[in-house]
Amino acid sequence: MGCGNMFFTALISFSVALITYNILIAANAPLKQDLPGPSTLSSIDPIIRMPKDRSRKFGASSSTTQKRLFHTAVTASDSVYNTWQCRVMYYWFKKFRDGPNSDMGGFTRILHSGKPDDFMDEIPTFVAQPLPSGMDQTSISSCSIFVQGYIVLNRPWAFVQWLEKADIKEDYILMAEPDHVIVKPIPNLSRDGLGAAFPFFYIEPKKYETVLRKYFPEEKGPVTNIDPIGNSPVIIGKESLKKIAPTWMNVSLSMKKDPETDKAFGWVLEMYAYAVSSALHGVGNILYKDFMLQPPWDTEIGMKFIIHYTYGCDYDMQGKLTYGKIGEWRFDKRSYTTVPPPRNLPMPPPGVPESVVTLVKMVNEATANIPNWDS
């Protein structure tokens, strides 16, 4: 056991040292570094490879292969805000895992705070190390007063660690987020070596071709090879993700360090980085619009599998949407950044769409049944 701990500590220390080194020299040639990867790569090859597997190979059982099970992975910080969302998500994951047509296997919260928290026994958790202090970069507002770390840069680094160290028995991975609520059993939507991903209307590779050519050179093909996706929700083969993850990490850090790219992509920068990295490794994606819905804009559940409650839902008491203005009735996850939402949230008024009503009902059911919710 002692040797194993020493090896893990040495591995993390070595990996962090590599990252630090590459970021220090990446300003002028952001994609020439192998981070992490063999030194024999061409200096102009933007693809960053996973370290050689130092652990035993994890073979899937015959039942896993037949069912094409996927492992659901959610990256999160230890903030109150992320934690209550993860608790709600995991509640509904368990409800639908064994339902009809489900290919849902195991579940892991990848906690990138670097230390265990109080919910390790409630939610299966892998503790990943955050990026070294300062490497998450900073974002400064136009008035130069508000400074904040871009914490989602920890996401690809956390995935690299998890994929290297965890015993993942399934052959596929679903990358999800804390603010996802599963509304029905999810089958494995990927096939033929392609991932399955939700297309985002605001990811526009063609519009930003000039910027993206810094990371996706012309010899890799047309910029339309970059799919309009982020890393989530995506169902992808585990071996494909092992190839993509280190590149995703490196491209994210390089994009954030480049002022032009940072300005162009803002808070969706890490999404573009994943899309670019997937294309660099030749992994295409089935663009599956029914993967998830986003209230209040999507009003019906229909055939969707996930509710993504990233937008605030504001309505007057006649059920009219007042988006951009705080409504007489509202549900917005940002209202609960320092305390979890209370049990038994008030239901929306008549006329509010099914998607919003369903979301509030599901949050209420989860909070009513999760032990020690207010802890």
Side-chain angles (χ1 to χ4, degrees):
M1 179 65 70
C3 291
N5 289 336
M6 290 177 62
F7 173 78
F8 177 72
T9 302
L11 175 64
I12 291 299
S13 300
F14 178 67
S15 300
V16 169
L18 280 175
I19 294 175
T20 305
Y21 170 77
N22 278 274
I23 294 305
L24 288 174
I25 65 173
N28 297 319
L31 286 179
K32 293 183 180 180
Q33 288 76 44
D34 298 338
L35 175 59
S39 60
T40 55
L41 291 180
S42 167
S43 62
I44 62 170
D45 185 355
I47 295 178
I48 310 302
R49 291 176 171 80
M50 202 74 169
K52 292 182 179 179
D53 188 10
R54 306 175 186 87
S55 57
R56 65 182 179 87
K57 301 295 183 181
F58 301 114
S61 66
S62 58
S63 61
T64 301
T65 303
Q66 290 169 2
K67 284 185 64 68
R68 299 176 68 238
L69 295 180
F70 59 81
H71 193 104
T72 300
V74 181
T75 54
S77 72
D78 60 358
S79 67
V80 171
Y81 179 67
N82 265 187
T83 300
W84 71 256
Q85 293 172 41
C86 286
R87 298 179 79 189
V88 170
M89 187 198 180
Y90 186 55
Y91 173 86
W92 286 105
F93 168 86
K94 291 187 293 182
K95 292 274 283 192
F96 289 116
R97 176 177 50 199
D98 299 322
N101 302 315
S102 170
D103 286 317
M104 299 159 67
F107 183 100
T108 298
R109 176 184 60 147
I110 306 175
L111 185 65
H112 52 67
S113 62
K115 59 185 184 298
D117 66 1
D118 294 335
F119 300 94
M120 305 288 289
D121 292 334
E122 180 180 322
I123 309 172
T125 299
F126 173 90
V127 177
Q129 299 302 309
L131 288 167
S133 178
M135 197 175 288
D136 62 352
Q137 306 296 306
T138 56
S139 180
I140 305 177
S141 72
S142 57
C143 61
S144 299
I145 296 174
F146 180 71
V147 181
Q148 173 173 309
Y150 186 56
I151 197 169
V152 295
L153 286 179
N154 281 301
R155 182 178 296 158
W157 171 222
F159 265 105
V160 168
Q161 295 172 69
W162 178 63
L163 290 164
E164 268 287 282
K165 299 303 298 181
D167 183 349
I168 309 164
K169 292 184 166 46
E170 296 83 0
D171 289 333
Y172 297 85
I173 307 293
L174 164 61
M175 292 183 283
E177 295 183 16
D179 61 352
H180 286 178
V181 171
I182 296 170
V183 295
K184 58 172 63 74
I186 306 176
N188 191 336
L189 302 170
S190 68
R191 65 174 186 271
D192 302 327
L194 299 170
F198 179 80
F200 291 91
F201 72 90
Y202 50 80
I203 301 298
E204 304 175 272
K206 188 64 179 175
K207 179 179 177 180
Y208 294 102
E209 180 168 4
T210 301
V211 173
L212 288 172
R213 283 303 185 191
K214 297 180 181 182
Y215 314 95
F216 191 77
E218 291 188 6
E219 57 266 27
K220 293 294 181 179
V223 76
T224 51
N225 285 353
I226 302 171
D227 293 324
I229 64 172
N231 83 291
S232 175
V234 171
I235 299 176
I236 186 173
K238 178 173 60 180
E239 296 307 315
S240 292
L241 186 56
K242 284 184 176 182
K243 296 175 182 177
I244 293 170
T247 304
W248 173 29
M249 176 183 69
N250 192 69
V251 172
S252 295
L253 294 169
S254 298
M255 283 183 169
K256 188 63 182 173
K257 196 170 183 66
D258 179 68
E260 182 187 17
T261 309
D262 190 23
K263 181 179 178 181
F265 296 154
W267 282 96
V268 297
L269 178 148
E270 174 261 347
M271 296 173 68
Y272 271 100
Y274 179 83
V276 167
S277 301
S278 183
L280 285 171
H281 285 278
V283 179
N285 295 274
I286 302 165
L287 302 182
Y288 203 88
K289 288 186 176 181
D290 277 347
F291 210 147
M292 73 179 186
L293 68 150
Q294 302 184 96
W297 312 116
D298 298 314
T299 58
E300 298 179 355
I301 302 297
M303 302 299 293
K304 311 294 196 300
F305 296 102
I306 293 170
I307 294 176
H308 181 210
Y309 55 99
T310 189
Y311 299 106
C313 300
D314 289 275
Y315 294 86
D316 63 22
M317 296 313 291
Q318 288 70 50
K320 180 181 178 182
L321 181 67
T322 62
Y323 192 78
K325 176 184 176 182
I326 294 177
E328 297 173 271
W329 180 94
R330 75 182 326 231
F331 176 77
D332 188 337
K333 66 179 184 178
R334 295 163 193 83
S335 300
Y336 308 105
T337 56
T338 58
V339 293
R343 286 172 163 156
N344 197 28
L345 289 168
M347 294 302 298
V352 171
E354 172 199 23
S355 61
V356 179
V357 174
T358 301
L359 170 60
V360 178
K361 283 182 177 179
M362 295 182 79
V363 170
N364 279 345
E365 179 179 329
T367 61
N369 289 281
I370 296 173
N372 304 311
W373 173 251
D374 295 323
S375 63

